[in-house]
Amino acid sequence: MEIIDSFILGLIQGLTEFLPISSSGHLVLGKELLGGDFEKNITFEVVVHFGTLCSILLYYKKEIGAILLSIWELLKNPAELSERYEDDRNIKLSWFILISMIPAMIVGITMEDLIEETFLSPFPVSIMLLVTGAILFSTSFRKEYPNRLTKGSAFGIGLAQAFAILPGISRSGSTISLGLYLGIKREEVANFSFLMVIPVIGGAMLLKTIEMIEVGVPFETMWGLIVGFITSFISGYFALKYLIILLRHKGIHPFAWYCWAIGIIGLISFW
């Protein structure tokens, strides 16, 4: 893989992992446009996903540290589970994250290969980008409700995350959109959306890393991997920061126009 290709795909991964425009869909279209055989490059996929994972860990370092500290305190006194669940928001949040993982784990384990075989090509991805645009635009019609995150809403947002296994369906877009429709405040649902994906990305990376070890890492690809990691890490951090700021003031529906434009271009280009 050329250095410039690594830079472009790392940039695509970093920007689209958090912005509600589908990283998987953009990578499929980007690989097709670059004309390379990137589908088999498991190593590069692992590296750029690790870059975006690191950007989440950096951005939410205080929140993650507080959650881990609360879990550690609970492990030292497990008999206090009921009391801590009611009094410690970090314990409740960690429980919500575990609940949200269930749908994605089930779908990922049982349907990932089928979905990749069926949808991992430019034309269906372009259609799914149009669907993502419709999901995002629909949030402009939602009404404000003073609701908070619950076990039920956490599971529902987990279902939205599972739906986003389809390339072209934005994970952040679908989870945040559902949270908004449930009446959860913009920033709260956005923070939950990105915190809940940490174990999902981590688990997926573990499986891909095992594949990577089996395939091996050619030494001549190291510079490309380094460039891909740095690019996805930096661009991912600023994309995440920008999205949180935008959510506070505008919402996510403006991204609908971009998804529709890319989807239409994809349909025309790969018909």
Side-chain angles (χ1 to χ4, degrees):
M1 182 182 294
E2 299 291 336
I3 295 296
I4 186 63
D5 293 338
S6 299
F7 175 81
I8 293 172
L9 292 178
L11 185 64
I12 291 174
Q13 170 65 25
L15 293 177
T16 60
E17 180 68 32
F18 304 118
L19 299 181
I21 53 178
S22 177
S23 62
S24 59
H26 277 73
L27 283 176
V28 170
L29 297 180
K31 291 170 185 176
E32 190 71 21
L33 290 172
L34 289 173
D37 183 21
F38 299 109
E39 286 76 12
K40 297 179 182 179
N41 198 332
I42 298 170
T43 305
F44 186 79
E45 184 179 343
V46 170
V47 167
V48 294
H49 275 86
F50 182 60
T52 51
L53 177 60
C54 288
S55 64
I56 303 178
L57 296 177
L58 177 61
Y59 187 84
Y60 286 107
K61 58 183 183 298
K62 292 182 180 179
E63 291 83 353
I64 294 170
I67 291 172
L68 293 177
L69 180 60
S70 293
I71 293 175
W72 174 250
E73 293 296 330
L74 177 61
L75 290 175
K76 292 193 294 184
N77 299 283
E80 300 178 358
L81 175 59
S82 298
E83 180 181 348
R84 283 186 174 273
Y85 179 81
E86 295 298 330
D87 298 337
D88 190 336
R89 62 179 300 273
N90 292 314
I91 294 297
K92 186 174 291 187
L93 180 59
S94 61
W95 176 239
F96 291 164
I97 291 173
L98 287 175
I99 293 173
S100 72
M101 291 170 54
I102 297 173
M105 289 175 60
I106 294 173
V107 172
I109 292 172
T110 61
M111 300 181 64
E112 182 179 12
D113 292 338
L114 174 63
I115 289 172
E116 287 187 354
E117 291 175 4
T118 307
F119 293 94
L120 204 58
S121 58
F123 190 77
V125 163
S126 299
I127 295 176
M128 292 299 104
L129 281 168
L130 297 179
V131 174
T132 291
I135 292 172
L136 299 178
F137 190 73
S138 69
T139 62
S140 62
F141 302 104
R142 78 177 186 97
K143 296 181 179 180
E144 294 281 351
Y145 298 100
N147 294 339
R148 300 302 302 269
L149 193 66
T150 65
K151 289 180 286 188
S153 57
F155 185 78
I157 294 172
L159 288 173
Q161 178 168 252
F163 175 57
I165 195 173
L166 294 172
I169 299 295
S170 167
R171 192 208 67 84
S172 62
S174 57
T175 55
I176 293 174
S177 294
L178 180 58
L180 293 176
Y181 267 108
L182 293 173
I184 304 170
K185 292 181 179 180
R186 291 174 180 175
E187 191 166 356
E188 181 180 3
V189 72
N191 290 336
F192 180 71
S193 174
F194 295 122
L195 287 172
M196 69 185 270
V197 79
I198 292 175
V200 174
I201 294 179
M205 276 185 53
L206 178 61
L207 296 176
K208 293 293 185 181
T209 300
I210 295 173
E211 294 182 49
M212 182 183 72
I213 294 173
E214 293 175 352
V215 173
V217 183
F219 180 78
E220 60 271 16
T221 66
M222 290 303 297
W223 279 113
L225 296 178
I226 293 171
V227 169
F229 169 79
I230 294 174
T231 306
S232 63
F233 170 64
I234 296 175
S235 60
Y237 179 84
F238 286 103
L240 177 55
K241 186 175 183 178
Y242 168 73
L243 180 60
I244 297 298
I245 294 172
L246 184 66
L247 268 169
R248 290 173 184 158
H249 302 286
K250 295 288 186 181
I252 57 174
H253 60 274
F255 288 101
W257 301 100
Y258 173 83
C259 290
W260 285 334
I262 297 298
I264 291 171
I265 292 172
L267 290 178
I268 295 173
S269 302
F270 302 108
W271 178 263

